[in-house]
Structure formats: C-alpha cells, structure tokens
Amino acid sequence: MNSKKLTHLDDSGQARMVDVGNKPDTERMAVARGEVHLQASTLELIREGLLKKGDVLGVAQIAGILGAKKTAELIPLCHPIVMNHIAVKVELADDLPGVRITATARATGKTGVEMEALTAVSVAALTVYDMVKAVEKNARIENIHLVEKHGGLSGDVHNE
C-alpha cells in the first residue's frame, strides 16, 4: 500500500485545491498517449478523406490542443497554468487498427502538466470517435496513459 497522502484531500478528507504558492517555478514536461480502435474499413475511410465530417486527424489535433488549454476548466482541482507548448500528434495506426494519439505538454511553473497532456489525448480521442460514429458503431477509446513526465519536486516518471 502507498504510504503517501492524497494531496487533494484535507485533514478531514474533504476535497481541496493544493496550495502551490511556495513551490519554485521549474520547467515541466509531460507526454501522454492513447488509442481509438476502429475497423480497418473505417481507418481506410479516414485515410482517403471520405468521412462527411472532414479531416479527422486535423480536427482531432486541434481539439486536443484546445482540450489541453481548457484542462483547469474541466478538472475541478487542477490549477490553471500557462502552457509554453502543446503538441498533439494524431496518426493512423494499421497495427491497431485505428488512430494513435500522442500529446506533449510543456510549461514553466509551480505544478505539472500531466493533466494537460492527458486531457489533450482524451479530447482528441473523443473527437475521432465523434467524427467516425456515423460509420463505426464499435469504435473504442483505449489505453490513455501518462508516458513520461519531467520537472518538479516529485521527480521524473517513465511509464514506457
């Protein structure tokens, strides 16, 4: 069992926003990844640009960037942070088959950017799902996870 306390709970067990006021500003970076599993025929429609809603990969990329920027509005206890950079890569993956999404978030601040990277992947995946749902009723969003993070007092994390 993990002996560390959950930081978003106060001494009485109530949810709280963590006070980061005394933490130093440091360079922060996080990478997250996820997948949207599709039928091979749907993947081919995306590849050929034949879906009625348009450019699935391009729209999902922009949606992921917007999602990262809006993370503090979506996750109640996240701090609003100024992003230095957010990159979202949305690519066809024949091995799934489906779409693989990778987001990299960077900021200089008192708190990390893991949630921004994870939100970017989640919103991009939901956008792919929305854009293919007319032709694909069995699309599955899977394996959204933090790949790595750097910066801050808690140190680096590598999950792949």
Side-chain angles (χ1 to χ4, degrees), residues 2 4 18 25-27 31 40 43 45 54 58-59 61 68 71 80 85 90 100 103 134 146 153:
N2 191 344
K4 294 183 180 182
V18 174
D25 285 346
T26 61
E27 294 290 323
V31 178
L43 190 61
L45 290 172
V59 173
Q61 178 191 27
T71 298
H85 180 72
V90 184
R100 186 169 287 113
L146 181 68
L153 298 176

Side-chain angles (χ1 to χ4, degrees), residues 20-62:
V20 297
N22 292 326
K23 292 175 71 177
D25 285 346
T26 61
E27 294 290 323
R28 313 292 185 122
M29 188 278 288
V31 178
R33 190 167 292 132
E35 304 162 348
V36 183
H37 291 251
L38 303 166
Q39 296 174 10
S41 58
T42 304
L43 190 61
E44 196 54 35
L45 290 172
I46 294 170
R47 188 183 322 276
E48 294 176 13
L50 297 176
L51 290 173
K52 289 183 181 180
K53 288 193 174 186
D55 175 14
V56 173
L57 305 182
V59 173
Q61 178 191 27
I62 296 300

Side-chain angles (χ1 to χ4, degrees), residues 116-130:
E116 286 72 14
L118 288 162
T119 300
V121 170
S122 299
V123 172
L126 288 166
T127 300
V128 170
Y129 186 97
D130 178 55

